[in-house]
Amino acid sequence: VQQVREAANRTKCINNLKQQGIAVHNFHDSTQVLPPATGWAGGVPGGVHGNVYVHILPYTEQQNLLDLSRDIT
């Protein structure tokens, strides 16, 4: 049973990493720059200050979290 759980967790983790990679590529395709490791995304309209994960939120179907971060700052 433990091996099945570990395999499921490993598959989930691999899938999450693939989705993040795809989001970074989509960010680059739409802005012609890679998302910054931290700071502002130069040339991105309505950008926010944050790390790479904040900047790829819209590309991971998490636009609502990005909007929430704009309301807080």
Side-chain angles (χ1 to χ4, degrees):
V1 174
Q2 184 64 26
Q3 288 179 339
V4 173
R5 287 183 187 151
E6 289 176 9
N9 285 336
R10 187 171 40 256
T11 301
K12 182 179 177 182
C13 184
I14 290 170
N15 185 49
N16 288 342
L17 288 172
K18 285 180 184 178
Q19 293 301 318
Q20 290 173 2
I22 291 169
V24 169
H25 282 280
N26 288 339
F27 182 97
H28 179 265
D29 289 346
S30 65
T31 63
Q32 302 305 311
V33 294
L34 288 172
T38 185
W40 293 95
V44 178
V48 296
H49 187 273
N51 62 19
V52 65
Y53 299 107
V54 172
H55 296 291
I56 65 171
L57 282 174
Y59 304 96
T60 57
E61 300 177 356
Q62 297 294 321
Q63 181 67 42
N64 57 340
L65 289 177
L66 183 63
D67 295 340
L68 180 63
S69 70
R70 287 185 180 136
D71 292 341
I72 293 172
T73 57

